[in-house]
Amino acid sequence: MGDRESDMMALMCKARDLGYPADYLVRSQHNRVLPNGGKLWEQVMGQTPLGRIRFLLPAGRGRKSRTVE
C-alpha cells in the first residue's frame, strides 16, 4: 500500500517480471504518463472492471453524507 508520492513503479514492474500476481488500488489526481508513453486514466478506463463496491460515505469536514460507488 502506498499513499502520496510513494512512486512504486519499480516495485510493480519487478512483481510483474517475477510473475507475481497483484491487485492495485490506484488513486490519482493527475493523468500521469506511463512508461510506454500512454496516459494512466485512458489505460485504466480501457480495462474491464473486476467488480463494484457501493457504500455510504459519512458526512465530515463540510461534506454531506452520500452513497458512492
Side-chain angles (χ1 to χ4, degrees):
M1 177 192 297
D3 204 352
R4 292 184 203 159
E5 300 179 27
S6 62
D7 188 346
M8 301 184 320
M9 182 58 77
L11 178 62
M12 290 187 269
C13 289
K14 186 68 170 178
R16 179 200 61 209
D17 294 344
L18 292 173
Y20 291 102
D23 295 324
Y24 300 101
L25 170 63
V26 177
R27 297 177 354 157
S28 176
Q29 181 176 351
H30 303 286
N31 192 11
R32 306 284 186 189
V33 175
L34 299 173
N36 67 2
K39 293 286 204 141
L40 176 63
W41 294 348
E42 287 79 12
Q43 180 72 29
V44 170
M45 296 307 290
Q47 304 299 311
T48 302
L50 298 174
R52 294 184 184 272
I53 297 173
R54 181 177 290 207
F55 61 94
L56 179 65
L57 181 66
R61 296 187 184 181
R63 172 187 74 221
K64 293 181 180 179
S65 68
R66 65 178 198 248
T67 301
V68 296
E69 184 175 351

